[in-house]
């Protein structure tokens, strides 16, 4: 018998990382390595999707307000400006804290788009997930909601889609009537849904004299929650210096009680007496902002009293995200 000639395998074409398509996790990797996709190029893709972005709104106008609307404010909207302008048939794009049925986005009958902010996201990059939802909403049929999904690992982020020079101006609402164009003539089911949502919303007001500070009313006491852009360690040092010096309050009966940590930023929180409204803290907040700015410029070591004050503030810090 004649010897069988050894078979030679044709060489697979060499692909660059950017050309390798996504396939099933257990399928052979298209790069030709012989390994399963999940153990080869799929590993990097999965890591890119799940890696937590500590400051997803960094670089956007109004980063502190983005954080506040994501975590603290019940009902608010912001008109968004796209870098490349609005597509034909889309009269406006509006960011909303919450949408009916917790929809990620909604294309209204008139073609306008509502983008929900307070939704669970599939990856560790909220900005990429929101950008993916926005792009799909712009192409959705009018009158349809957009469902959530895992955004492509290499997809754009909000920073790629939104105009970096446009202002970010939140409008805080007393309820969720912005869900429907004509709330007075809404169906009974929609009316009931609105009533439930409105009943659960905490009254909230955005201060006018300082950035990203939100007054809210609760049954026992009121609060001021102020999202600040300063590096956490530097801000905590400054707050500790003011606290130890008795200069951290916003007036009689008010008290700096701790802070939240949200999306890479720190949110100091003050307790306010029930009778203190948003207008009452406008001037004290502006005065505090001046004291804080001066204290942030100090780099001397903390004193013993200031270290104790800092420890107390750190122990009363709660991470929201």
């Amino acid at each position: 018998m004649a010897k069988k000639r050894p078979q030679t395998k044709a060489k697979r074409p060499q692909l660059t990382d950017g050309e390798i398509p996504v396939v099933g996790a257990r399928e052979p990797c298209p790069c030709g390595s012989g390994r399963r996709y999940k153990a080869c190029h799929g590993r990097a893709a999965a890591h890119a999707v799940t890696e937590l972005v500590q400051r997803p709104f960094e670089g956007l106008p109004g980063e502190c307000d983005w954080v506040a609307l994501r975590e603290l404010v019940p009902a608010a909207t912001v008109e968004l400006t796209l870098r490349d302008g609005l597509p034909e048939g889309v009269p406006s794009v509006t960011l909303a804290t919450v949408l009916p049925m917790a929809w990620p986005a909604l294309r209204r009958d008139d073609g306008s788009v509502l983008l929900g902010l307070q939704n669970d996201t599939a990856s560790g990059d909220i900005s990429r997930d929101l950008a993916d939802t926005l792009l799909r909403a712009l192409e959705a049929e009018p009158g349809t909601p957009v469902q959530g999904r895992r955004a492509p690992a290499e997809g754009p982020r909000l920073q790629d889609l939104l105009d970096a020079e446009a202002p970010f101006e939140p409008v805080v609402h007393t309820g969720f009537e912005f869900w429907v164009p004509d709330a007075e003539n809404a169906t009974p089911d929609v009316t009931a849904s609105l009533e439930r949502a409105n009943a659960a919303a905490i009254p909230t007001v955005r201060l006018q004299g300082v950035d990203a500070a939100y007054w809210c009313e609760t049954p026992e006491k009121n609060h001021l929650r102020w999202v600040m852009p300063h590096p956490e360690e530097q801000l905590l040092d400054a707050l500790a210096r003011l606290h130890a010096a008795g200069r951290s309050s916003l007036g009689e009966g008010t008290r700096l009680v701790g802070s939240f940590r949200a999306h890479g930023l720190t949110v100091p929180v003050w307790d306010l007496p029930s009778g203190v409204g948003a207008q009452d803290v406008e001037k004290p907040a502006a005065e505090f902002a001046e004291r804080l700015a001066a204290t942030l410029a100090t780099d001397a070591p903390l004193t013993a009293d200031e270290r104790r004050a800092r420890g107390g503030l750190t122990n009363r810090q709660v991470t929201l995200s």
Side-chain angles (χ1 to χ4, degrees):
M1 294 178 60
K3 292 183 179 180
K4 292 184 178 180
R5 299 178 64 180
Q7 297 181 352
T8 58
K9 294 183 179 180
K11 291 185 178 180
R12 292 178 178 265
Q14 296 298 311
L15 302 176
T16 65
D17 287 351
E19 297 174 332
I20 296 170
V22 176
V23 298
R26 294 180 177 275
E27 294 181 39
C29 186
C31 76
S33 66
R35 291 179 292 174
R36 290 179 177 176
Y37 178 70
K38 70 176 184 179
C40 192
H41 280 84
R43 178 180 298 174
H47 179 71
V49 170
T50 59
E51 184 178 10
L52 179 63
V53 176
Q54 296 292 338
R55 289 180 61 178
F57 307 116
E58 185 177 13
L60 290 172
E63 178 188 7
C64 294
D65 282 306
W66 277 92
V67 172
L69 268 56
R70 167 77 181 184
E71 299 294 340
L72 306 173
V73 181
T77 56
V78 184
E79 294 299 314
L80 298 180
T81 302
L82 304 187
R83 176 175 293 179
D84 296 328
L86 293 170
E88 184 178 357
V90 180
S92 64
V93 174
T94 303
L95 180 72
T97 48
V98 179
L99 294 180
M101 309 296 292
W103 287 325
L106 172 65
R107 182 87 184 271
R108 281 177 160 167
D109 291 336
D110 66 355
S112 61
V113 168
L114 290 178
L115 177 66
L117 182 57
Q118 295 180 12
N119 293 300
D120 292 334
T121 54
S123 79
D125 187 352
I126 298 171
S127 178
R128 196 180 306 280
D129 288 332
L130 288 172
D132 177 69
T133 301
L134 174 56
L135 288 175
R136 291 187 291 122
L138 292 172
E139 298 178 351
E141 290 294 324
T144 59
V146 175
Q147 302 300 327
R149 72 172 188 181
R150 173 170 288 183
E154 301 301 324
R157 308 178 73 236
L158 287 173
Q159 289 82 346
D160 302 315
L161 302 182
L162 301 183
D163 185 350
E165 302 301 323
F168 188 82
E169 300 175 344
V171 177
V172 178
H173 302 277
T174 57
F176 294 91
E177 282 75 17
F178 64 84
W179 282 353
V180 290
D182 188 5
E184 293 183 357
N185 297 319
T187 65
D189 288 344
V190 171
T191 300
S193 178
L194 281 172
E195 290 176 351
R196 289 192 298 269
N198 289 343
I202 296 174
T204 302
V205 176
R206 183 177 185 266
L207 299 194
Q208 299 301 308
V210 294
D211 293 333
Y214 290 81
W215 171 94
C216 65
E217 180 183 20
T218 61
E220 296 183 356
K221 63 184 69 174
N222 299 339
H223 306 278
L224 185 71
R225 301 162 175 173
W226 192 342
V227 186
M228 296 187 173
H230 317 292
E232 181 179 6
E233 297 302 315
Q234 182 185 7
L235 177 58
L236 288 175
D237 281 352
L239 292 173
R241 296 181 197 276
L242 292 171
H243 203 58
R247 305 178 67 211
S248 64
S249 75
L250 299 176
E252 184 177 355
T254 70
R255 186 166 66 98
L256 175 64
V257 293
S259 62
F260 296 128
R261 182 189 291 114
H263 305 294
L265 299 181
T266 303
V267 189
V269 178
W270 284 262
D271 278 352
L272 312 173
S274 296
V276 174
Q279 288 295 328
D280 299 321
V281 292
E282 285 280 6
K283 182 178 179 181
E287 293 171 345
F288 178 85
E290 293 180 359
R291 297 198 298 273
L292 180 63
T295 308
L296 285 167
T298 303
D299 57 3
L302 297 178
T303 65
D305 287 343
E306 291 167 348
R307 287 196 299 272
R308 282 191 291 271
R310 193 186 195 283
L313 291 173
T314 302
N315 290 336
R316 296 191 297 274
Q317 190 174 51
V318 177
T319 299
L320 300 180
S321 61

